[in-house]
Amino acid sequence: MTDGARGGVDGYLARADLRWPPPRARAIGLIVALGPGFAAAVLGVSRPLLFACLVLPGACAAAWLHARVGRRPDRVVGQMPDALRRVAAALGSGLSLRQALARVAPRVDAPAGPELRRVHDDLEAGARVDDALEALVARVPHHDMDVVGCVTLVALRAGGDLAGLLRDLADGIETRRAAAADLAAMSAQARTTAWLVVAMPVAGAALVELAAPGVMGRTLDGAAGRAVMVLAAVMFVVAVAAVRRLARVRL
């Protein structure tokens, strides 16, 4: 892997906010993706089962990682109420916004803490507040972050009570997230059922292949068998996507 590719992978892993540093996360990802296939090859399983062991773990790991990266804005916003209250307290003590961020950012955990530090660094480098906040909103595309940036700019330009507004924003974000959590709990059964519906036939096919090696190979030898497998896979994907869309909660 070239240095550029490694840097791109490490940057993507960093956006996932994993508990491991990117080099260790890469090693764990390789083990997860290739380990089952290697074990299946050593055990001498049938070709369909070997193919599944080679493809499915890596595909599942990639899908999970992509989903985690996509949820990063939500994780940042989840930490913003506490961060906003700390910034409001610092502003109330007479500090400027740049000074308040310098005090608060190191005390906020990732991923919100590093984002606040980047805003502070931009201001230290001479960037305008508008540009620094717009860059933050671009890095964290979330409607709550849009509101935070807009309110901050309006308060700074109009001379309003920024500390009080930030505290009100923190309360509003917490209220909306609590409501979203309650709604998500109500739809948890539907999401779990969707994944079980997909996992059961896959697990059943794997057990059948283990008990009677060659069954899946003979099934896939004919055009009708392959057509049925492809149709079933497409129907499962559509069903899972539909259930997840119906159960999605956005406030």
Side-chain angles (χ1 to χ4, degrees):
M1 180 183 295
T2 64
D3 292 340
R6 185 181 295 108
V9 171
D10 288 350
Y12 191 78
L13 292 173
R15 292 197 298 274
D17 300 316
L18 302 174
R19 66 179 67 181
W20 313 286
R24 182 177 298 179
R26 275 191 280 112
I28 294 174
L30 287 175
I31 293 174
V32 171
L34 301 180
F38 177 78
V42 171
L43 294 174
V45 300
S46 60
R47 284 185 296 176
L49 192 56
L50 175 61
F51 178 78
C53 291
L54 287 171
V55 173
L56 288 180
C60 292
W64 175 82
L65 184 64
H66 179 73
R68 185 169 177 83
V69 171
R71 290 193 297 268
R72 187 175 191 274
D74 190 65
R75 291 194 297 274
V76 174
V77 172
Q79 295 176 309
M80 288 306 295
D82 179 63
L84 291 176
R85 291 191 180 99
R86 294 189 182 200
V87 172
L91 292 172
S93 66
L95 299 180
S96 66
L97 179 60
R98 179 174 56 81
Q99 293 169 332
L101 290 174
R103 173 180 293 185
V104 171
R107 302 176 184 177
V108 179
D109 295 333
E115 293 296 343
L116 294 178
R117 282 194 291 272
R118 289 189 64 176
V119 176
H120 170 263
D121 294 342
D122 289 344
L123 295 176
E124 280 286 307
R128 298 188 309 162
V129 176
D130 307 46
D131 296 333
L133 291 177
E134 287 178 1
L136 173 63
V137 172
R139 293 192 303 270
V140 187
H142 194 283
H143 59 276
D144 282 332
M145 195 61 71
D146 293 340
V147 174
V148 170
C150 180
V151 167
T152 302
L153 286 177
V154 171
L156 290 175
R157 290 173 177 174
D161 180 16
L162 179 57
L165 290 172
L166 292 180
R167 282 191 289 267
D168 292 341
L169 279 175
D171 294 339
I173 291 173
E174 281 190 340
T175 300
R176 286 192 296 275
R177 291 184 66 83
D182 291 339
L183 293 174
M186 296 178 187
S187 61
Q189 183 176 359
R191 295 194 303 272
T192 303
T193 301
W195 287 114
L196 286 176
V197 168
V198 174
M200 287 175 63
V202 175
L207 290 175
V208 169
E209 185 65 21
L210 284 173
V215 171
M216 296 301 299
R218 291 192 295 272
T219 301
L220 296 174
D221 279 343
R226 290 193 294 270
V228 169
M229 294 293 289
V230 171
L231 179 62
V234 171
M235 292 177 66
F236 278 127
V237 170
V238 172
V240 170
V243 171
R244 286 178 62 84
R245 184 174 181 83
L246 290 173
R248 186 178 301 164
V249 177
R250 287 184 177 178
L251 291 182

